[in-house]
Amino acid sequence: IRNNLTGKYILMNDIDLSVYENWEPIGSSETPFKGEIDGNKFLIKSLKIIQNEKQNIYAGFFAYCQNSLIKNISIIDFDMQTNSEKITAGIIAATIEDSKISNCIVSGTMNINSSDRMVVGGIVGTASGHSVINRCKNLSNISTCMEYTKAISIYNYCVGGIIGSSNASVSECSNHGNIETTADGKENLY
């Protein structure tokens, strides 16, 4: 997939990613995934993302998708731990633009810490354009902590079970995971 970001793919078996100590998300804002992938009801297991960097991080199976179709994927037993100034995170994709995600299920844990900005969702971090998310389920536990030296507003601290921040169409989705958010620092949270 990394070598052809516009291809059409279908899973034919379960995939175990436990051999990767730290998964590198597919695509970027400069070179987004623009293809199609059908999970074919198979599982992607043991995805692990650990990032402790002072930069803008896009964390997920995909980092950035544009004009793409992602369907029938189940990502289970994932572990995401990040600590960064700015982070956008979602297990299927950190960011989607004019894309569709349907019939996807995720389960695992997300532990996200940020000092400036975070947008976190169980399925997708952020979506723009004419994106659609339907019939997806989050079973993951999400824990976030915003360590800040300035006021936190709705513009730089967004957390959701399905999606963190979006103007996408979201339908027939459900969140069954626990979401815990905390903020350390000044008391001017609004």
Side-chain angles (χ1 to χ4, degrees), residues 20-26 46-52 57-63 78-83 87 89-91 109-112:
Y20 294 95
E21 291 182 14
N22 191 5
W23 176 255
E24 180 184 341
I26 298 169
S46 303
L47 171 67
K48 190 173 198 177
I49 297 175
I50 300 174
Q51 294 180 324
N52 295 297
I57 291 176
Y58 293 89
F61 185 76
F62 291 98
F78 71 81
D79 180 15
M80 181 185 291
Q81 299 177 39
T82 66
N83 189 351
I87 182 160
I91 296 309
T109 58
M110 298 174 82
N111 292 295
I112 312 292

Side-chain angles (χ1 to χ4, degrees), residues 91-182:
I91 296 309
I92 299 293
T95 298
I96 63 171
E97 178 183 340
D98 295 318
S99 297
K100 182 176 181 179
I101 297 177
S102 67
N103 295 317
C104 293
I105 299 172
V106 296
S107 68
T109 58
M110 298 174 82
N111 292 295
I112 312 292
N113 295 292
S114 176
S115 59
D116 185 38
R117 179 183 177 276
M118 75 166 64
V119 181
V120 178
I123 303 294
V124 171
T126 186
S128 64
H130 298 286
S131 293
V132 174
I133 301 170
N134 68 340
R135 296 190 302 277
C136 291
K137 186 183 294 187
N138 175 45
L139 305 172
S140 313
N141 293 320
I142 302 171
S143 176
T144 66
C145 181
M146 184 70 146
E147 300 168 4
Y148 65 100
T149 57
K150 62 181 182 179
I152 295 177
S153 73
I154 60 171
Y155 302 107
N156 62 355
Y157 192 18
C158 304
V159 181
I162 300 300
I163 194 163
S165 176
S166 166
N167 59 0
S169 170
V170 178
S171 64
E172 299 179 63
C173 293
S174 60
N175 174 61
H176 300 273
N178 294 321
I179 300 173
E180 179 182 326
T181 61
T182 57

